């Protein structure tokens, strides 16, 4: 088998995506574009297809200034076009009937499989400890976050993820329900300066084949 990397569009986007922290504050992404990016990102996989991600998209300049104080004074919070807060839903099972009914309507499964999936989900997820459900939602939020950033890059926008913020203050400021919790902030906009390059550990240090 050849080990030559095929330079597909995906590889190009993956290599060009960098964590950008200096943004053109005058550049604004139209909301319709932000909506399209999030919509396209929802093709990401999730546990039992329960899609436990939610988004709060912050474009208002005054609110971004407030958020900067919550986010360890990171400049990109204010200068990027928008901040996409990726949230987790610890009660993801609540919409199981809607999700699997839609699966049937779109021809992805039959009624019998739908009923089985709903029964199994409602037997398993509500009984799981909150910490377990939050871990599931956090993992799935990570999957859609990466997909979102690659889609943004393909459309010509730059991004950076931020985990360094006060999650408790964030939840209070934006009045999140108890079962909804912040996972990560994604700044999105147009770079005003090149991002730093970064090294990666060699494969022999991170993978073992048996």
């Amino acid at each position: 088998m050849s080990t030559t990397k095929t330079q597909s569009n995906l590889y190009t986007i993956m290599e060009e995506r960098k964590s950008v922290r200096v943004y053109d504050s005058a550049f604004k992404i139209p909301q319709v574009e932000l909506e399209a990016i999030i919509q396209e990102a929802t093709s990401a996989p999730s546990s039992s297809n329960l899609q436990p991600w939610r988004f709060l998209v912050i474009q208002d300049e005054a609110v971004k200034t407030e958020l900067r104080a919550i986010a360890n004074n990171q400049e990109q919070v204010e200068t990027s076009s928008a901040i996409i807060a990726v949230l987790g839903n610890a009660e993801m099972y609540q919409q199981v009937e809607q999700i699997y009914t839609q699966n049937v309507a779109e021809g992805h499964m039959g009624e019998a499989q739908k009923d089985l999936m709903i029964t199994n989900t409602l037997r398993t997820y509500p009984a799981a400890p909150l910490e377990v459900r939050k871990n599931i939602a956090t993992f799935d939020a990570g999957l859609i976050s990466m997909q979102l950033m690659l889609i943004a890059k393909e459309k010509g926008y730059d991004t950076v993820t931020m985990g360094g913020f006060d999650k408790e203050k964030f939840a209070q400021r934006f009045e999140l329900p108890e079962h909804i919790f912040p996972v990560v902030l994604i700044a999105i906009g147009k770079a005003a300066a090149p991002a730093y390059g970064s090294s990666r550990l060699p494969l022999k240090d991170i993978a073992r084949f048996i």
Side-chain angles (χ1 to χ4, degrees), residues 96-116:
V96 63
E97 292 197 25
Q98 177 187 346
I99 289 168
Y100 283 105
T101 298
Q102 185 176 339
N103 276 355
V104 172
E106 293 180 4
H108 303 308
M109 63 174 57
E111 285 287 343
Q113 188 178 3
K114 179 197 86 168
D115 292 342
L116 179 62

Side-chain angles (χ1 to χ4, degrees), residues 30-156:
Q31 182 167 319
V32 67
E33 275 283 89
L34 294 170
E35 291 173 356
I37 289 169
I38 295 172
Q39 182 64 58
E40 290 169 24
T42 61
S43 65
S46 63
S47 178
S48 301
N49 192 34
L50 294 179
Q51 305 160 57
W53 42 63
R54 298 293 183 269
F55 302 91
L56 178 61
V57 184
I58 302 165
Q59 304 169 86
D60 184 89
E61 296 302 324
V63 179
K64 284 161 65 182
T65 298
E66 284 186 69
L67 180 57
R68 180 171 178 170
I70 295 172
N72 296 332
N73 197 36
Q74 295 180 78
E75 179 183 321
Q76 62 266 23
V77 172
E78 278 195 278
T79 57
S80 59
S81 182
I83 297 296
I84 301 174
V86 185
L87 316 174
N89 178 11
E91 295 182 359
M92 67 286 276
Y93 56 86
Q94 296 281 9
Q95 288 181 278
V96 63
E97 292 197 25
Q98 177 187 346
I99 289 168
Y100 283 105
T101 298
Q102 185 176 339
N103 276 355
V104 172
E106 293 180 4
H108 303 308
M109 63 174 57
E111 285 287 343
Q113 188 178 3
K114 179 197 86 168
D115 292 342
L116 179 62
M117 292 299 297
I118 291 173
T119 298
N120 289 342
T121 297
L122 293 179
R123 183 174 62 242
T124 304
Y125 282 81
L130 176 60
E131 182 180 1
V132 170
R133 286 185 275 118
K134 290 185 76 171
N135 284 342
I136 291 170
T138 299
F139 180 84
D140 290 348
L143 292 175
I144 198 170
S145 294
M146 188 69 252
Q147 189 141 304
L148 188 154
M149 289 188 290
L150 291 175
I151 292 168
K153 190 61 184 175
E154 194 274 336
K155 293 178 179 292

Side-chain angles (χ1 to χ4, degrees), residues 5-6 24-25 28 44 80 105 123-124 128 138 143 164 190 201 204 206:
K5 183 193 287 186
T6 303
D24 177 356
S25 60
K28 301 301 175 189
S80 59
R123 183 174 62 242
T124 304
T138 299
L143 292 175
K190 185 71 73 174
L201 292 168
K204 66 180 179 62
I206 62 171

Side-chain angles (χ1 to χ4, degrees), residues 20 164 196:
V20 169
Y196 292 111

